Each structure stands twice: as C-alpha cells, then as structure tokens.
Amino acid sequence: MYPMKHIDNIPSTPGKFKMEKPPYNRLRIHISLAKLTFWSFVFLGLIFVFFYRSPAASSSSPVSSDLSRRSLRTNSYGGPAWEKRIKASAKVRSRNGISVLVTGAAGFVGTHVSVALKRRGDGVLGLDNFNDYYDPSLKRARQALLERTGVYVVEGDINDATLLKKLFDIVQFSHVMHLAAQAGVRYAMENPGSYVHSNIAGLVNLLEICKSVNPQPAIVWASSSSVYGLNSKVPFSEKDRTDQPASLYAATKKAGEEIAHTYNHIYGLSLTGLRFFTVYGPWGRPDMAYFFFTRDILKGKSIPIFEAANHGTVARDFTYIDDIVKGCLAALDTAEKSTGSGGKKKGPAQLRVFNLGNTSPVPVSDLVSILERLLKVKAKRLVMKLPRNGDVQFTHANISSAHKELGYKPTTDLQTGLKKFVRWYINYYGNGKKSVQ
C-alpha cells in the first residue's frame, strides 16, 4: 500500500564472517537494530496516516469535490456553549408558538421564512452547509441578518445523520421547514450528482431522522413548479400529471414527492409539499434571471431573451418572496401532527401538496422592460432560441387549493416586487460596482 523500506540483516550476497573480530560484528548488530527500530516507527507512522487521515485526504479528490457542495463533512460542533446557542435560538417566545428546524436557512427563501417565524415568537434553528453553488458571501450576509434577528444557523449538511440526530436530542422540534436543496435547472447538466446527493439522499436522511424521533415533527418542504415539466395544460393544478420532467432538477423534486408519500404511508409522518413558482425579491439567488439581468444591465452587458419555437413567448409566474413566506407559514400553522411513534405508524397522517404562485404569468421580455425603467438603463437584448437545457416555455399556477386550505392570497405584482428588489440590489452591491458572481 505504502512503500516500506527496511534493513535486512542478512546480506543479499553472503560474505565471509571473521569470528576473530567480534567487536565489529557487535557494532553491525547494534546499527542494524537501530535502523530496524527507526524504520518500524516510520512504518507505524504510515499506518497511522493512512487510517486516520485518509478521509480528509479523499475529500480533495475530483469525485468528492463535486459533492463538496453538499459535503458530509461538518464543521466542528458540540460542547455546552454550542448547545446553549441552539436552545436559545429554538426557544419558543409566544404562547402558541412552534419550534422549527429550518434547513437551508441561509438560502433565499430560508432566510425570509426564518426571520418571519422568529419575529412572531416561534423558536427557530437554522441549518445550512454554505456550499458554493453561488457566491457564499451572500449566504454569509444572510447569516449575519439572521444572527441579528436572533436565529442561530448551525453549519452542517442534511446528509450528516449524526448531526441531525444531535440537534433533535437537544431540541424537541414540533416542525421542520425543509428548504435545503440543490437548486437550478441548468446546473444539473454540469453536476448531476449534486442533485441526487441533496434533493434525494438528503431528503431521505432527514425523513429517516424525523420518523425515528419521538414525538415525530410535522414537515413542510419545498418542491417546485418544475415538476409540471412538459405539461401543456394551464394553469397548472396539483391534480395535473407530473410524470414528464424536463430537467434532472424537476425529476429529483418529483422523486421527493414520491418519497414523501412513502414515509407518510409507512411511518405516519405529516408532510406538506410546496410547489414554488419563480420566487424573486431582496436577498435573492444570483442564478435567477431577474437577478443577473439586473447585474448585466448595470454593467452594459448583453442579456439573453429566450423565445420558444415559432417566436413563441416565454413567460413565468413570478412570485414575490413575501407572498411565498405567507404561504410557508400558513402551511406550518395548518400542518397536523405526525401519527407515528418510535418509527412505527399509529394511524393515517396528513399528506398535502400546494402550488404557491402569483397566478399571473409575465413574459420575460416584459420583465426586462420593467428593469430598464427601474434602473434607468437600456438593456442590450440578445434574442435567442430556448435551449434544450431543462427550461420550459411557461409556468402558471392554479392556487385555488392553497387559497382554500391555507388562506393563501398573493398581493405583490411584478412591478412592485422588482422595485423592492432593485432598491435592495443597489444598496447591497453599490449600483453594480461591487462584484457579484
């Protein structure tokens, strides 16, 4: 395994030993024993290095570096001070408050949901691995915002079962808001493994922990409007077919919905899936079109305006972050308790899925026109055919079910929402002068 050098006491070419010179032989024996002892220590050292350092070394391999975006390795945790911060953050401060573990807390939606929960008196603990899918400094800035609000974010991975179990040992969470995921449609063509690692393996690991703890928490988690895929019936309803995903991202979210059904059926976990429709707003994701359009318009760069076949319009059901947050909190508040105990189902448990959209699709070209007016800069438009990379021509949410069951009613139109986003963007990035990736 490792090359081992040692001194052989028997010469490779036998010579003549002169018995009349014993001091010389004793000297050779002493030297050989010293060298043998030295190389034995070297060999033992190599064994130590191999067994105790190889996991860390392997993390730098090409395969592991891909998964490092959702790494199993967790920063150091534990100790009285660490547990004290967790308990303080998760402490319920309102009479009818809930205690929520928010995964992906330093993400776009996670940050806004965590702040809203904390401000109304709920106990909130965040979990995020701060991967580098996009600029981690933005996530750190969100973390600082959460810290100021009183939300502690544990740095760790949802695939780390030991860490998750430890968090549930410290806090008896009544709810989990599962928002951690590998996002983005196009990135799946570059790093497909990260989607399986986060959106499927990570979800299963979380559900395994949740079904084993007692009492089991109610779980609300982020699915996606992408599950509707190539469905041409509009608006999209929760009862429509979702078996034609147009991207690997969509396929993993669809798989997540089936996995949720399984854990609900076998273990009695209360599960609510939320299909988000193109969420935008302050502290948003740099990989979203409205975000990088703003950046590139300010920098004088060309922006791609996609059109479908036969010059068809590409449109999105843009949903402002505040409306999404209201839907998330309503889903938590109406979630029924899980029915399992000790990993065994005691009775039927709640299983739901809701669209959270704005119900008014807007052509992407109109989005650009609004940004031009707000930024007072003319965009350099580059019209291109919609690539076959997982993007779909349009999204349009039917929210009647969410309205009936959650009282969900979006109130922010695109013009108003983008105005708030642009104000934040210029304040944060300095009118485009501060670099953003």
Side-chain angles (χ1 to χ4, degrees):
M1 189 172 301
Y2 281 95
M4 182 182 73
K5 300 177 181 178
H6 90 211
I7 303 300
D8 196 336
N9 289 326
I10 301 175
S12 57
T13 303
K16 296 180 180 179
F17 294 94
K18 297 183 180 181
M19 300 301 294
E20 68 272 19
K21 295 181 180 179
Y24 173 75
N25 288 332
R26 283 198 298 271
L27 180 62
R28 288 188 62 192
I29 291 171
H30 287 314
I31 293 172
S32 297
L33 285 173
K35 289 184 177 180
L36 182 61
T37 302
F38 170 77
W39 287 111
S40 295
F41 277 111
V42 171
F43 180 69
L44 289 172
L46 289 173
I47 292 176
F48 176 83
V49 169
F50 177 77
F51 283 105
Y52 290 93
R53 297 298 300 274
S54 59
S58 66
S59 69
S60 62
S61 67
V63 174
S64 295
S65 64
D66 267 354
L67 294 182
S68 68
R69 299 178 184 280
R70 289 287 185 269
S71 173
L72 289 177
R73 296 175 63 209
T74 301
N75 281 10
S76 60
Y77 54 79
W82 183 75
E83 293 190 13
K84 184 177 180 181
R85 293 193 70 183
I86 288 174
K87 290 177 180 178
S89 184
K91 184 177 181 180
V92 178
R93 301 185 182 279
S94 63
R95 179 174 296 180
N96 298 314
I98 58 178
S99 181
V100 189
L101 172 65
V102 180
T103 69
F108 173 32
V109 178
T111 296
H112 285 273
V113 169
S114 297
V115 169
L117 287 169
K118 193 68 175 180
R119 285 179 174 168
R120 73 176 195 175
D122 294 320
V124 185
L125 179 70
L127 176 67
D128 205 291
N129 72 350
F130 296 91
N131 67 49
D132 61 353
Y133 167 60
Y134 60 81
D135 185 8
S137 69
L138 179 58
K139 299 178 184 180
R140 293 297 180 183
R142 297 191 191 120
Q143 180 188 23
L145 173 64
L146 290 171
E147 293 280 359
R148 292 193 297 272
T149 313
V151 177
Y152 176 49
V153 182
V154 173
E155 186 164 351
D157 195 290
I158 56 172
N159 282 283
D160 188 339
T162 302
L163 173 58
L164 286 179
K165 182 66 169 62
K166 191 171 186 67
L167 296 180
F168 275 93
D169 286 342
I170 297 170
V171 178
Q172 193 177 91
F173 296 106
S174 60
H175 294 72
V176 172
M177 187 77 213
H178 179 48
L179 298 169
Q182 176 58 61
V185 169
R186 301 167 194 170
Y187 181 63
M189 299 181 73
E190 299 176 37
N191 188 4
S194 65
Y195 289 78
V196 177
H197 183 65
S198 297
N199 303 357
I200 297 179
L203 175 62
V204 169
N205 188 62
L206 176 68
L207 295 180
E208 277 291 305
I209 298 297
C210 290
K211 62 96 169 173
S212 300
V213 299
N214 196 12
Q216 296 172 336
I219 303 161
V220 177
W221 70 285
S223 184
S224 170
S225 62
S226 295
V227 299
Y228 292 109
L230 303 177
N231 186 6
S232 58
K233 173 184 169 294
V234 289
F236 299 152
S237 169
E238 292 89 346
K239 296 180 181 179
D240 293 342
R241 63 184 299 181
T242 54
D243 59 353
Q244 302 178 96
S247 66
L248 179 62
Y249 168 69
T252 60
K253 285 299 186 179
K254 170 62 177 176
E257 293 188 355
E258 302 305 322
I259 290 168
H261 178 276
T262 302
Y263 275 80
N264 169 268
H265 173 69
I266 298 177
Y267 300 110
L269 283 176
S270 170
L271 282 148
T272 302
L274 302 177
R275 294 173 179 171
F276 296 153
F277 281 71
T278 316
V279 190
Y280 73 100
W283 297 100
R285 286 189 2 230
D287 64 321
M288 298 291 285
Y290 73 93
F291 198 113
F292 64 76
F293 280 179
T294 300
R295 176 196 65 201
D296 291 345
I297 290 173
L298 287 171
K299 290 185 176 182
K301 294 183 178 181
S302 298
I303 59 173
I305 307 296
F306 293 132
E307 64 177 19
N310 300 317
H311 304 289
T313 299
V314 173
R316 293 288 181 268
D317 198 342
F318 295 100
T319 314
Y320 190 62
I321 183 62
D322 288 0
D323 292 325
I324 289 292
V325 169
K326 291 175 185 176
C328 290
L329 268 57
L332 287 168
D333 291 340
T334 57
E336 297 175 0
K337 292 183 178 181
S338 294
T339 61
S341 177
K344 295 182 179 180
K345 184 177 180 179
K346 302 296 184 181
Q350 186 181 55
L351 180 66
R352 307 178 294 174
V353 62
F354 296 109
N355 288 338
L356 294 186
N358 199 48
T359 74
S360 55
V362 177
V364 175
S365 57
D366 289 1
L367 164 73
V368 176
S369 297
I370 295 173
L371 287 175
E372 286 177 325
R373 290 194 296 272
L374 293 171
L375 297 170
K376 297 180 173 61
V377 179
K378 190 70 175 176
K380 296 179 181 178
R381 305 185 186 211
L382 183 61
V383 179
M384 304 171 63
K385 290 183 179 180
L386 187 66
R388 296 180 64 85
N389 60 4
D391 279 327
V392 295
Q393 183 176 350
F394 51 81
T395 58
H396 185 183
N398 178 334
I399 61 169
S400 57
S401 181
H403 177 68
K404 178 181 178 181
E405 301 294 329
L406 307 179
Y408 175 72
K409 185 178 181 182
T411 58
T412 309
D413 60 73
L414 187 59
Q415 172 81 28
T416 303
L418 284 178
K419 184 176 182 180
K420 294 180 180 180
F421 165 74
V422 167
R423 185 185 303 124
W424 168 83
Y425 184 96
I426 292 176
N427 180 63
Y428 185 79
Y429 288 108
N431 204 26
K433 294 178 182 178
K434 182 178 177 180
S435 63
V436 53
Q437 298 175 353

